[in-house]
Amino acid sequence: QVQLKESGPGLVAPSQSLSITCTVSGFSLTSYDISWIRQPPGKGLEWLGVIWTGGGTNYNSAFMSRLSISKDNSKSQVFLKMNSLQTDDTAIYYCVREGFHWYFDVWGAGTTVTVSS
Amino acid sequence: DVVMTQTPLSLPVSLGDQASISCRSSQSLVHSNGNTYLHWYLQKPGQSPKLLIYKVSNRFSGVPDRFSGSGSGTDFTLKISRVEAEDLGVYFCSQSTHVPTFGGGTKLEIK
């Protein structure tokens, strides 16, 4: 069964950094690209970046200076790290598999991150 | 970035009605390879989005044939021929021809 599951800290203080782990099962990270997408409360979806099967990355220019995505294929894990969080970074963060026609075909349940002191 | 504009914001319908959602992009979504990477997702309350339609008009696995997509260039439409209760939620269009972006969403609700 194809699954993605995010695990994150829940609460982050302003100006601190965020680390989230996405653990996948049912497929290999050497066969599919993985994107991170977030959704602020009651709002729309925002693509953050992608890590490709070969390990290369591409980021939304709005986050390029403070976002890093990496992975460990052997552990089937993808990592998101974002620095200098502010209150408007409060959102549900999803890791998402990218299918063969550049769509997002399998989504994790998401992890809620609240930025607050 | 490519801006995706969806209308309407809210779409009240009666069960069994047809529903239509429009999505416009700020620039052409035709890729240099000839494909148009315009997709539709449905997010039900409390759930993650799920893929409905990919590349304008292709139904994803398991999606009922009452869902159909059409359009080209910068103008796209999602139609639901006979709305059922399980179709209620927020619909998002999205493009991946360029750096991926999403429309603001259309909430399909009971009239």
Side-chain angles (χ1 to χ4, degrees), chain A residues 39 94 101-104 107-108, chain B residues 37 39 41 43 48-49 54 96:
Chain A
Q39 185 172 32
Y94 297 100
H101 295 289
W102 302 0
Y103 48 62
F104 301 119
W107 296 61
Chain B
Y37 297 99
H39 320 299
Y41 299 87
Q43 185 173 33
S48 309
Y54 66 93
S96 53

Side-chain angles (χ1 to χ4, degrees), chain A residues 72-87:
Chain A
D72 184 331
N73 291 334
S74 66
K75 293 184 178 179
S76 295
Q77 291 180 324
V78 181
F79 310 103
L80 174 145
K81 182 167 185 181
M82 187 181 291
N83 298 322
S84 305
L85 261 66
Q86 301 304 321
T87 53

Side-chain angles (χ1 to χ4, degrees), chain B:
Chain B
D1 288 357
V2 177
V3 177
M4 306 295 287
T5 303
Q6 283 182 240
T7 54
L9 207 60
S10 172
L11 184 53
V13 297
S14 299
L15 298 180
D17 280 357
Q18 174 172 287
S20 181
I21 301 170
S22 173
C23 177
R24 284 190 173 174
S25 57
S26 60
Q27 54 185 279
S28 174
L29 299 186
V30 181
H31 193 274
S32 57
N33 64 15
N35 290 315
T36 300
Y37 297 99
L38 183 284
H39 320 299
W40 291 93
Y41 299 87
L42 166 60
Q43 185 173 33
K44 296 183 181 180
Q47 295 185 17
S48 309
K50 287 186 169 53
L51 178 66
L52 291 176
I53 301 283
Y54 66 93
K55 284 172 59 184
V56 181
S57 60
N58 298 277
R59 278 187 300 277
F60 190 57
S61 174
V63 175
D65 61 6
R66 62 178 180 276
F67 290 91
S68 63
S70 62
S72 63
T74 62
D75 286 334
F76 304 91
T77 302
L78 175 72
K79 285 195 168 93
I80 311 169
S81 59
R82 297 168 305 280
V83 172
E84 298 187 6
E86 66 180 22
D87 302 335
L88 303 182
V90 180
Y91 290 79
F92 294 96
C93 61
S94 172
Q95 64 80 25
S96 53
T97 297
H98 312 281
V99 170
T101 52
F102 294 84
T106 295
K107 187 174 184 179
L108 187 71
E109 51 194 0
I110 293 292
K111 191 182 294 183

Side-chain angles (χ1 to χ4, degrees), chain A residues 9-14 18 41 85-87 89-93 111-117:
Chain A
L11 181 66
V12 177
L18 168 66
L85 261 66
Q86 301 304 321
T87 53
D89 292 311
T90 293
I92 300 173
Y93 286 74
T111 186
T112 298
V113 174
T114 302
V115 181
S116 174
S117 54

Side-chain angles (χ1 to χ4, degrees), chain A residues 5 7 22 27 106:
Chain A
K5 186 170 184 179
S7 56
C22 172
F27 68 98
V106 187

